[in-house]
Amino acid sequence: MENQVLTPHVYWAQRHRELYLRVELSDVQGLTLLPRLECSSVIIAHCSLELLGLSSPPGSAYQVGLQNPAISITENVLHFKAQGHGAKGDNVYEFHLEFLDLVKPEPVYKLTQRQVNITVQKKVSQWWERLTKQEKRPLFLAPDFDRWLDESDAEMELRAKEEERLNKLRLESEGSPETLTNLRKGYLFMYNLVQFLGFSWIFVNLTVRFCILGKESFYDTFHTVADMMYFCQMLAVVETINAAIGVTTSPVLPSLIQLLGRNFILFIIFGTMEEMQNKAVVFFVFYLWSAIEIFRYSFYMLTCIDMDWKVLTWLRYTLWIPLYPLGCLAEAVSVIQSIPIFNETGRFSFTLPYPVKIKVRFSFFLQIYLIMIFLGLYINFRHLYKQRRRRYGQKKKKIH
């Protein structure tokens, strides 16, 4: 009886890549077992067990030393030995299984109060017709119907896991929606911050110079702040691109009209004609542009970090009512003042080829542009009015 080998009940299931074994053995503790020791050593072994609060099973050939459970794979054979409570009571149980095909020699197991769960990886992902190399099934081995799948169901499960893995990889490569939203907000915050600082510098500079020099400051405005205005207006191209590619929800047309209109005034009317750079109208154009933008960009900047300052919101949706028409009026004055200068210098004028030979003055296009200024004002005014109505019109309806 002392040499009798006790085997536990073992249940198995498989997938294309893995084997699952469930050993019906309860109260398997994660401790070590040793062969029975003789003489004084046996006293040490018994004392060790007593200190651990355990007792040596009667007739057992093991006390302390071997891993419990002892699970290993050598030469494609699974070896299992553990002390626990099985069909024959509290004893040492063991079994050996030679697998049908090659497996990886690193089994993974998990102990619970009622059983030992073992997972073995197949070397080749394929479906096995049985678990063991021997055709006759061992008496202690049975299918685990709780985890059992036929081959077609297992293939569907495998495809589902593969799709899940690919989706996870795609999300990691593309970035999660929350990460992309945070990146977009961070990018827009930095853009609006740079524009706010640029136009604030222009506005403060012009204000301080006017307070110190009075009207004298009007005539050297261009040479004082033109470089910063060039930078801000060139950077404004990004704003139109953002609207075009969907980074922002702003409509493209109003942004494009403002970009082209301002850059025409800045680069063509002021930038190419030195005679225009010393005129007082430059001060009013730059001052009105910067006054509008410091409130607009600061509002957008706080929106990116989910802040709503009611005073700033009101200013953003209200100040444009007087400032936009005044800005367009200043632009129109600069165009009107530039017409005789362009006629006198002949800059950008050209003659049509033979046989027409008609000279086309650039002032003709400037007169057309005057009409377009007020058409652009109407489009932008209408857009901003709709924004203000959406922002404050709903509140009024709720009050009534």
Side-chain angles (χ1 to χ4, degrees), residues 103-209:
V103 297
K104 296 181 181 179
E106 301 90 14
V108 177
Y109 69 89
K110 180 180 180 183
L111 299 178
T112 69
Q113 283 188 335
R114 299 180 58 185
Q115 61 200 25
V116 180
N117 295 314
I118 306 172
T119 302
V120 179
Q121 300 289 329
K122 298 177 181 178
K123 275 198 173 180
V124 179
S125 179
Q126 62 182 7
W127 194 256
W128 291 4
E129 61 180 16
R130 61 180 183 273
L131 177 65
T132 60
K133 191 171 185 179
Q134 65 182 56
E135 292 188 12
K136 186 177 179 181
R137 178 176 59 84
L139 294 176
F140 63 87
L141 186 64
D144 186 353
F145 291 108
D146 291 338
R147 303 192 70 168
W148 193 266
L149 289 178
D150 58 29
E151 186 174 2
S152 60
D153 291 337
E155 286 177 354
M156 290 177 62
E157 183 184 70
L158 185 64
R159 282 197 296 269
K161 287 183 178 179
E162 187 65 18
E163 288 178 5
E164 184 180 352
R165 186 183 69 84
L166 292 174
N167 288 335
K168 187 176 179 181
L169 288 174
R170 188 175 69 252
L171 285 175
E172 288 177 355
S173 62
E174 295 177 355
S176 65
E178 185 177 351
T179 303
L180 292 175
T181 300
N182 291 336
L183 286 174
R184 184 179 68 86
K185 285 185 176 182
Y187 157 70
L188 291 176
F189 178 84
M190 291 305 301
Y191 168 77
N192 291 311
L193 174 62
V194 171
Q195 289 287 58
F196 168 73
L197 293 175
F199 281 108
S200 295
W201 185 89
I202 294 171
F203 184 83
V204 171
N205 190 299
L206 295 180
T207 302
V208 171
R209 285 175 55 80

Side-chain angles (χ1 to χ4, degrees), residues 237-346:
V237 175
V238 175
E239 193 167 339
T240 304
I241 295 173
N242 289 339
I245 65 177
V247 176
T248 62
T249 56
S250 304
V252 179
L253 185 59
S255 175
L256 183 63
I257 289 174
Q258 178 170 293
L259 173 70
L260 296 178
R262 287 186 176 180
N263 284 348
F264 181 81
I265 298 294
L266 177 62
F267 289 94
I268 303 299
I269 303 298
F270 296 155
T272 63
M273 304 297 292
E274 292 186 10
E275 295 87 343
M276 289 297 301
Q277 294 172 6
N278 298 320
K279 291 187 177 292
V281 69
V282 178
F283 173 88
F284 293 102
V285 170
F286 285 5
Y287 199 76
L288 289 167
W289 285 357
S290 58
I292 293 168
E293 301 301 13
I294 57 175
F295 293 108
R296 187 167 73 95
Y297 284 118
S298 58
F299 170 78
Y300 289 153
M301 186 172 60
L302 294 182
T303 301
C304 291
I305 55 175
D306 300 322
M307 287 184 62
D308 184 14
W309 186 19
K310 291 184 178 180
V311 174
L312 180 61
T313 303
W314 183 86
L315 289 171
R316 188 269 176 269
Y317 286 104
T318 305
L319 279 181
W320 61 266
I321 298 174
L323 292 182
Y324 260 92
L326 288 174
C328 286
L329 183 61
E331 292 174 24
V333 170
S334 66
V335 172
I336 293 171
Q337 290 183 352
S338 70
I339 288 176
I341 299 174
F342 277 106
N343 284 336
E344 183 180 342
T345 60

